PDB file of all heavy atoms in Angstrom:
ATOM      1  N   ASN A1244      80.855 102.143  79.265  1.00  0.00           N
ATOM      2  CA  ASN A1244      81.472 100.911  78.740  1.00  0.00           C
ATOM      3  C   ASN A1244      83.000 100.997  78.705  1.00  0.00           C
ATOM      4  O   ASN A1244      83.647 100.190  78.048  1.00  0.00           O
ATOM      5  CB  ASN A1244      80.953 100.546  77.339  1.00  0.00           C
ATOM      6  CG  ASN A1244      79.527 100.059  77.411  1.00  0.00           C
ATOM      7  OD1 ASN A1244      79.084  99.605  78.482  1.00  0.00           O
ATOM      8  ND2 ASN A1244      78.819 100.149  76.320  1.00  0.00           N
ATOM      9  N   MET A1251      87.802  97.194  81.201  1.00  0.00           N
ATOM     10  CA  MET A1251      88.736  98.137  80.562  1.00  0.00           C
ATOM     11  C   MET A1251      89.894  98.404  81.530  1.00  0.00           C
ATOM     12  O   MET A1251      89.657  98.639  82.709  1.00  0.00           O
ATOM     13  CB  MET A1251      87.982  99.438  80.261  1.00  0.00           C
ATOM     14  CG  MET A1251      88.815 100.536  79.647  1.00  0.00           C
ATOM     15  SD  MET A1251      89.189 100.271  77.903  1.00  0.00           S
ATOM     16  CE  MET A1251      87.614 100.566  77.125  1.00  0.00           C
ATOM     17  N   GLU A1343     115.201  82.497  93.566  1.00  0.00           N
ATOM     18  CA  GLU A1343     115.766  81.149  93.556  1.00  0.00           C
ATOM     19  C   GLU A1343     115.049  80.248  94.587  1.00  0.00           C
ATOM     20  O   GLU A1343     114.672  79.117  94.289  1.00  0.00           O
ATOM     21  CB  GLU A1343     117.280  81.259  93.861  1.00  0.00           C
ATOM     22  CG  GLU A1343     118.032  79.954  93.984  1.00  0.00           C
ATOM     23  CD  GLU A1343     117.939  79.063  92.749  1.00  0.00           C
ATOM     24  OE1 GLU A1343     117.623  79.570  91.658  1.00  0.00           O
ATOM     25  OE2 GLU A1343     118.159  77.838  92.906  1.00  0.00           O
ATOM     26  N   ASN A1384      86.136  71.002 108.779  1.00  0.00           N
ATOM     27  CA  ASN A1384      86.991  72.202 108.953  1.00  0.00           C
ATOM     28  C   ASN A1384      87.982  72.053 110.102  1.00  0.00           C
ATOM     29  O   ASN A1384      88.205  72.993 110.871  1.00  0.00           O
ATOM     30  CB  ASN A1384      86.141  73.450 109.184  1.00  0.00           C
ATOM     31  CG  ASN A1384      85.241  73.739 108.016  1.00  0.00           C
ATOM     32  OD1 ASN A1384      85.661  73.614 106.879  1.00  0.00           O
ATOM     33  ND2 ASN A1384      84.001  74.084 108.289  1.00  0.00           N
ATOM     34  N   ASP A1389      95.427  63.341 115.923  1.00  0.00           N
ATOM     35  CA  ASP A1389      96.154  62.110 116.270  1.00  0.00           C
ATOM     36  C   ASP A1389      96.665  61.390 115.033  1.00  0.00           C
ATOM     37  O   ASP A1389      97.201  60.293 115.135  1.00  0.00           O
ATOM     38  CB  ASP A1389      95.226  61.157 117.045  1.00  0.00           C
ATOM     39  CG  ASP A1389      94.666  61.839 118.267  1.00  0.00           C
ATOM     40  OD1 ASP A1389      95.394  62.662 118.857  1.00  0.00           O
ATOM     41  OD2 ASP A1389      93.485  61.581 118.602  1.00  0.00           O
ATOM     42  N   GLU A1405     112.740  78.631 109.817  1.00  0.00           N
ATOM     43  CA  GLU A1405     113.794  79.093 110.743  1.00  0.00           C
ATOM     44  C   GLU A1405     113.987  80.597 110.578  1.00  0.00           C
ATOM     45  O   GLU A1405     114.111  81.339 111.547  1.00  0.00           O
ATOM     46  CB  GLU A1405     115.128  78.387 110.450  1.00  0.00           C
ATOM     47  CG  GLU A1405     115.197  76.921 110.861  1.00  0.00           C
ATOM     48  CD  GLU A1405     114.856  76.694 112.331  1.00  0.00           C
ATOM     49  OE1 GLU A1405     115.110  77.600 113.138  1.00  0.00           O
ATOM     50  OE2 GLU A1405     114.305  75.626 112.660  1.00  0.00           O
ATOM     51  N   HIS A1438      89.096  78.074 115.045  1.00  0.00           N
ATOM     52  CA  HIS A1438      89.915  78.429 116.218  1.00  0.00           C
ATOM     53  C   HIS A1438      90.458  77.182 116.924  1.00  0.00           C
ATOM     54  O   HIS A1438      91.616  77.156 117.335  1.00  0.00           O
ATOM     55  CB  HIS A1438      89.075  79.228 117.218  1.00  0.00           C
ATOM     56  CG  HIS A1438      88.749  80.620 116.761  1.00  0.00           C
ATOM     57  ND1 HIS A1438      88.399  81.625 117.621  1.00  0.00           N
ATOM     58  CD2 HIS A1438      88.707  81.171 115.516  1.00  0.00           C
ATOM     59  CE1 HIS A1438      88.166  82.752 116.928  1.00  0.00           C
ATOM     60  NE2 HIS A1438      88.335  82.478 115.648  1.00  0.00           N
ATOM     61  N   GLU A1442      96.522  77.354 116.294  1.00  0.00           N
ATOM     62  CA  GLU A1442      96.961  78.436 117.183  1.00  0.00           C
ATOM     63  C   GLU A1442      96.845  79.789 116.474  1.00  0.00           C
ATOM     64  O   GLU A1442      96.523  79.861 115.302  1.00  0.00           O
ATOM     65  CB  GLU A1442      98.436  78.207 117.567  1.00  0.00           C
ATOM     66  CG  GLU A1442      98.686  76.965 118.381  1.00  0.00           C
ATOM     67  CD  GLU A1442      98.314  77.139 119.855  1.00  0.00           C
ATOM     68  OE1 GLU A1442      97.963  78.273 120.258  1.00  0.00           O
ATOM     69  OE2 GLU A1442      98.357  76.139 120.586  1.00  0.00           O
ATOM     70  N   LEU A1469      96.686  93.741  98.859  1.00  0.00           N
ATOM     71  CA  LEU A1469      97.519  93.192  97.782  1.00  0.00           C
ATOM     72  C   LEU A1469      98.648  92.358  98.385  1.00  0.00           C
ATOM     73  O   LEU A1469      99.409  92.845  99.224  1.00  0.00           O
ATOM     74  CB  LEU A1469      98.104  94.341  96.948  1.00  0.00           C
ATOM     75  CG  LEU A1469      99.097  93.930  95.859  1.00  0.00           C
ATOM     76  CD1 LEU A1469      98.415  93.099  94.780  1.00  0.00           C
ATOM     77  CD2 LEU A1469      99.748  95.149  95.236  1.00  0.00           C
ATOM     78  N   ARG A1535      96.565  72.318 120.604  1.00  0.00           N
ATOM     79  CA  ARG A1535      96.441  71.131 121.467  1.00  0.00           C
ATOM     80  C   ARG A1535      95.514  71.349 122.656  1.00  0.00           C
ATOM     81  O   ARG A1535      95.206  70.416 123.389  1.00  0.00           O
ATOM     82  CB  ARG A1535      97.829  70.704 121.978  1.00  0.00           C
ATOM     83  CG  ARG A1535      98.775  70.264 120.881  1.00  0.00           C
ATOM     84  CD  ARG A1535      98.375  68.915 120.335  1.00  0.00           C
ATOM     85  NE  ARG A1535      99.044  68.618 119.069  1.00  0.00           N
ATOM     86  CZ  ARG A1535      98.766  67.575 118.317  1.00  0.00           C
ATOM     87  NH1 ARG A1535      97.835  66.705 118.695  1.00  0.00           N
ATOM     88  NH2 ARG A1535      99.382  67.386 117.184  1.00  0.00           N
TER      89      ARG A1535
END
Side-chain angles (χ1 to χ4, degrees):
N1244 289 338
M1251 178 75 72
E1343 176 57 20
N1384 299 318
D1389 304 326
E1405 287 305 330
H1438 289 201
E1442 295 282 354
L1469 175 66
R1535 296 287 165 187

